[in-house]
Amino acid sequence: MTTELLIAFLASTAGAATPLVVASMGELVTERSGVLNLGMEGMMLVGAVVGFGVTLSTGQMSLGLLAAMLAGMAMALIFGFLVLTLQTNQVATGLALTLFGIGLSAYMGRGLVGQTVAPMPHLEFPLLSQLPFVGPLLFRFDGMVYASLALALLVAYLLARTRLGLLIRAVGEAPQAAHAIGYPVIGLRYGTVLFGGALAGLGGAYLSLALTPMWVEGMTAGRGWIALAQVVFATWKPRGVVLGAYLFGGVTVLQFHGQGMGLAIPAEFLSMLPYLATIVVLMIICRNPQTILLNKPVSLGQNFKPE
């Protein structure tokens, strides 16, 4: 592999991993509060189509990203109302939200197919961007790549070092005890659900505004489910989420490089690689159930009704 090809591969990996880092961080915070939201795929799709549509109509990518976050929050609010207020089953409601998001995004994007927008610009750092090898590898990405890594650090600090993070973890571990001493369990869970929805919408918008600056129906291609799997893969730790996202991103990019190099492997098998890698990693982790149980929020997926 030449140096140029290696740089291109590593740089493409960062881009492919970014939407997963963003979306998974939102789901991580949501799950740490005890809420399991399986509607990630639907929220990402709605964020992708809304972000693209707003950017296309206004010419302002910042407005598109903001609109995508609001769209994700709107979807999350529906989920939150159903599972937190009406106490519906979290798994069934999340699956229904995904199906709703798939259909809604397809309907909203009917007039957007075939249109494009200018891709998210890359940042240029004086002198640093011109350094050989290091420059294109570290200092020529768009702002979302750097923001996603900063987000991971922020979430890690929030959960481990702040009072709010302690409350989120307490609500996820023992909601009855948290309620008994006066903490608003439902309010905190609403907040984490909305936070997760905003980041899911933002991650979806990155797909339609940066990776492939156009709208294609179903363009998330299962990334919402991968984001959910990554939280388990990471055993609910932010650093593990980043590692899993870059692993998946690398395998995703590898399939395109393999096709470009003319490997005598069926294209369908190469397309399976990212998802196959995720399954293999989860199988390896789940061989030791204690690894999962040690960090899994005790009340994950369980409804709580204040008495």
Side-chain angles (χ1 to χ4, degrees):
M1 180 179 288
T2 65
T3 301
E4 292 77 9
L5 188 58
L6 177 61
I7 292 174
F9 171 76
L10 295 175
S12 299
T13 296
T18 296
L20 295 174
V21 173
V22 174
S24 296
M25 284 299 163
E27 179 63 16
L28 171 65
V29 173
T30 301
E31 292 193 15
R32 290 301 291 265
S33 73
V35 180
L36 177 63
N37 185 355
L38 298 183
M40 292 290 293
E41 183 82 357
M43 293 191 296
M44 289 184 73
L45 278 170
V46 171
V49 69
V50 169
F52 179 81
V54 172
T55 300
L56 183 66
S57 60
T58 64
Q60 299 293 323
M61 187 168 292
S62 57
L63 292 179
L65 294 174
L66 177 60
M69 294 178 69
L70 293 175
M73 290 178 70
M75 292 283 287
L77 183 61
I78 296 173
F79 174 81
F81 177 74
L82 291 172
V83 302
L84 298 177
T85 301
L86 301 185
Q87 298 288 301
T88 59
N89 181 275
Q90 293 184 17
V91 173
T93 305
L95 293 174
L97 188 70
T98 285
L99 296 176
F100 174 68
I102 292 173
L104 179 63
S105 64
Y107 176 77
M108 296 175 65
R110 289 184 305 169
L112 302 176
V113 177
Q115 301 190 61
T116 61
V117 296
M120 190 175 293
H122 288 194
L123 301 180
E124 287 290 335
F125 299 88
L127 300 180
L128 295 176
S129 297
Q130 282 69 47
L131 291 174
F133 190 79
V134 177
L137 191 59
L138 298 178
F139 302 108
R140 293 185 189 173
F141 297 113
D142 57 69
M144 278 286 292
V145 174
Y146 302 108
S148 67
L149 298 176
L151 173 66
L153 293 174
L154 181 63
V155 169
Y157 179 80
L158 168 73
L159 292 175
R161 303 282 183 172
T162 67
R163 183 174 181 270
L164 177 59
L166 177 62
L167 292 179
I168 290 173
R169 289 187 286 121
V171 166
E173 295 294 332
Q176 292 83 4
H179 175 70
I181 58 178
Y183 291 118
V185 174
I186 298 299
L188 281 168
R189 286 187 169 183
Y190 257 111
T192 60
V193 167
L194 292 176
F195 178 76
L199 292 188
L202 184 61
Y206 186 80
L207 294 173
S208 61
L209 296 177
L211 283 189
T212 54
M214 63 176 65
W215 163 249
V216 179
E217 185 177 334
M219 68 185 306
T220 51
R223 286 180 175 85
W225 300 111
I226 296 296
L228 284 163
Q230 281 181 175
V231 177
V232 180
F233 162 76
T235 60
W236 291 270
K237 296 178 181 178
R239 63 175 180 271
V241 167
V242 175
L243 176 62
Y246 275 77
L247 173 63
F248 177 84
V251 177
T252 301
V253 173
L254 183 61
Q255 65 169 312
F256 297 116
H257 281 271
Q259 293 171 355
M261 290 186 291
L263 295 179
I265 301 175
E268 293 79 7
F269 180 79
L270 290 174
S271 299
M272 291 166 48
L273 281 179
Y275 309 97
L276 181 62
T278 302
I279 294 173
V280 170
V281 170
L282 287 175
M283 288 175 61
I284 294 173
I285 291 175
C286 291
R287 289 179 61 188
N288 182 8
Q290 295 302 320
T291 303
I292 300 296
L293 296 176
L294 185 64
N295 298 291
K296 177 184 175 182
V298 175
S299 68
L300 181 62
Q302 301 175 11
N303 288 345
F304 170 77
K305 186 175 182 180
E307 297 178 356

